[in-house]
Amino acid sequence: MAREKNFYPLAEGLSTQDTFAVLGDAQKFQKHKHAWKVWRALKDFRCVVYPVAEGLSRIDGSKVYSNLAQLTDKVTVVVPCLLPERLKSLVPDAVSAGCSKIWFQEQTWTRELQQECDSSGIEVIRGCVLRHRLYPSKISLRYLSPCYWHGLRDVKVPMKRFGRY
């Protein structure tokens, strides 16, 4: 018997039903920095999510794609986790891959990227993916997470427990 998959709202019209590409570099994935945390959180939300980084073939058992072109027609949302100076071709690459939205993380958005998105018809969402993660109340570390505090009133995705939500 197949279980019905639950979908949950995220930021500004996004939901866990969307498909995501997390754009980072090998260091941000291997050293468990922001790109890895975002990718892991989206996986924990049971989203279809693909890691994208040059020079890396696998991470935690998942295939890593070297560019967005390899994901043409597979993703609806790109989540860049690189500084703006490393995102020069982001918008054209997203358009050619068939993406309709870019979810900019903290410190990745610029006015120039916004203008490129507006002229290309790409919807822009701003804010951290980790704001939507639900932290267990028994763990006091949630109070130390800036994403927890910044997203205190944001919609949260339930944590998996025993293989289900």
Side-chain angles (χ1 to χ4, degrees):
M1 171 163 58
R3 271 199 309 216
E4 186 177 314
K5 185 173 180 180
N6 293 325
F7 298 111
Y8 298 94
L10 293 169
E12 300 177 37
L14 295 176
S15 76
T16 56
Q17 187 174 14
D18 285 299
T19 54
F20 299 86
V22 177
L23 183 62
D25 60 17
Q27 181 182 10
K28 290 188 184 289
F29 278 106
Q30 288 175 322
K31 297 200 180 219
H32 294 191
K33 293 194 176 195
H34 195 74
W36 182 85
K37 290 176 185 178
V38 166
W39 171 71
R40 196 69 230 175
L42 290 169
K43 278 186 71 139
D44 288 345
F45 296 165
R46 291 199 177 165
C47 297
V48 175
V49 58
Y50 303 96
V52 178
E54 289 183 18
L56 191 61
S57 61
R58 297 195 80 69
I59 186 78
D60 293 350
S62 294
K63 178 180 179 181
V64 177
Y65 295 83
S66 60
N67 57 50
L68 290 174
Q70 293 179 335
L71 295 170
T72 300
D73 296 328
K74 289 185 180 179
V75 295
T76 56
V77 182
V78 175
V79 184
C81 295
L82 295 168
L83 293 175
E85 53 268 11
R86 303 222 14 231
L87 298 172
K88 299 296 182 199
S89 65
L90 172 66
V91 176
D93 290 349
V95 168
S96 65
C99 299
S100 58
K101 302 170 186 169
I102 298 177
W103 190 355
F104 287 98
Q105 300 302 286
E106 305 296 331
Q107 301 178 7
T108 62
W109 178 89
T110 65
R111 286 191 180 108
E112 294 78 20
L113 286 169
Q114 178 73 48
Q115 290 170 346
E116 278 187 70
C117 288
D118 291 343
S119 65
S120 299
I122 299 261
E123 185 180 343
V124 170
I125 296 94
R126 292 175 60 189
C128 184
V129 170
L130 302 177
R131 294 168 73 152
H132 302 281
R133 183 172 171 214
L134 185 65
Y135 294 87
S137 60
K138 293 179 183 175
I139 298 176
S140 62
L141 291 178
R142 73 180 183 177
Y143 299 110
L144 302 176
S145 171
C147 292
Y148 175 81
W149 283 109
H150 293 154
L152 189 59
R153 305 232 188 280
D154 284 340
V155 179
K156 304 293 184 197
V157 177
M159 291 186 61
K160 289 192 284 188
R161 292 191 190 268
F162 309 109
R164 59 191 164 145
Y165 285 108

